[in-house]
Amino acid sequence: GAGVSQSPSNKVTEKGKDVELRCDPISGHTALYWYRQSLGQGLEFLIYFQGNSAPDKSGLPSDRFSAERTGGSVSTLTIQRTQQEDSAVYLCASSLSGGAGLDEQFFGPGTRLTVL
Amino acid sequence: AQSVTQLGSHVSVSEGALVLLRCNYSSSVPPYLFWYVQYPNQGLQLLLKYTTGATLVKGINGFEAEFKKSETSFHLTKPSAHMSDAAEYFCAVSPSGGYNKLIFGAGTRLAVHP
């Protein structure tokens, strides 16, 4: 079966534009996570979905960041009015149920975002 | 709040030498612990994890790690390095009893030279 896929793989945008990043989790996985990997901050948790609900949004860095998940499957991370500090690799992961320590998180290849 | 410290952002070893990558965590209760590997231009891959039970955990590619509660450590080792082990390694924790939110260390880049 297919793993976690993300699109686009690379995105270059101008400061102030909005961007949408897409994640397709493994089929049947109810838990979905977004992380950000940047030079200055390392790997940071952004948001966690269980089904279509997001019980933990604590890692979203500002109100310019939002995410949704529809049909318990595809998720979209939206960044409005992008800034240069948003440049990073955005990683998506999914796991079967989200139970602590019990389910492996499978990571996608990431979307590399560059804000000029 | 939980945190993870990886000592050494870069480690270099000779092929065939012991690999030791250090990880310490801070947590009021023992968390779940993970090591992930990221090969160049690839996604993160789980190497091994500790949840409960045996404190010595064996993972893929000959790696193992030992959970030491008294030292709040979860160091990663491999007896003999291969050139193919060159990658970035991340230690991570997840709060026990909750969902699988991962808190990562800064990563250690392992170089293996002939």
Side-chain angles (χ1 to χ4, degrees):
Chain A
V4 177
S5 61
Q6 294 185 245
S7 60
S9 55
N10 279 284
K11 176 72 177 178
V12 180
T13 190
E14 293 179 349
K15 178 181 172 181
K17 301 281 190 184
D18 298 352
V19 295
E20 283 190 352
L21 313 180
R22 177 187 168 106
C23 172
D24 282 88
I26 293 172
S27 177
H29 281 194
T30 63
L32 187 146
Y33 307 80
W34 283 97
Y35 296 87
R36 179 169 73 171
Q37 186 174 22
S38 57
L39 278 176
Q41 302 296 325
L43 263 163
E44 308 169 274
F45 166 81
L46 297 179
I47 187 170
Y48 157 65
F49 284 94
Q50 182 58 250
N52 292 336
S53 301
D56 189 350
K57 307 178 184 180
S58 63
L60 294 178
S62 76
D63 58 8
R64 295 185 296 104
F65 287 72
S66 62
E68 65 175 12
R69 189 178 184 195
T70 55
S73 180
V74 172
S75 176
T76 303
L77 177 68
T78 301
I79 309 173
Q80 295 178 310
R81 305 181 303 281
T82 51
Q83 303 294 313
Q84 288 182 331
E85 62 262 28
D86 299 335
S87 296
V89 177
Y90 290 82
L91 296 171
C92 176
S94 70
S95 68
L96 196 56
S97 69
L102 300 178
D103 296 326
E104 178 180 349
Q105 286 187 37
F106 294 85
F107 282 80
T111 293
R112 181 176 296 278
L113 175 67
T114 304
V115 182
L116 301 176
Chain B
Q2 295 180 328
S3 65
V4 179
T5 302
Q6 291 184 241
L7 262 178
S9 58
H10 289 81
V11 170
S12 182
V13 300
S14 299
E15 191 174 20
L18 171 71
V19 176
L20 170 60
L21 305 182
R22 299 177 187 275
C23 173
N24 289 86
Y25 67 91
S26 68
S27 175
S28 56
V29 296
Y32 296 139
L33 296 156
F34 306 79
W35 276 98
Y36 281 84
V37 60
Q38 187 174 36
Y39 297 103
N41 300 314
Q42 293 188 29
L44 286 163
Q45 181 181 5
L46 181 66
L47 268 180
L48 49 80
K49 68 178 181 182
Y50 169 79
T51 54
T52 58
T55 56
L56 182 62
V57 180
K58 295 187 184 299
I60 62 172
N61 301 338
F63 284 94
E64 62 183 37
E66 186 170 11
F67 169 60
K68 292 188 177 180
K69 182 179 177 181
S70 61
E71 298 177 9
T72 61
S73 69
F74 191 57
H75 302 331
L76 182 72
T77 60
K78 182 173 179 177
S80 176
H82 294 167
M83 298 295 289
S84 60
D85 294 327
E88 189 151 22
Y89 292 80
F90 294 92
C91 181
V93 301
S94 174
S96 58
Y99 58 88
N100 239 355
K101 168 181 175 177
L102 292 172
I103 299 166
F104 287 91
T108 297
R109 186 168 297 278
L110 175 67
V112 182
H113 52 87

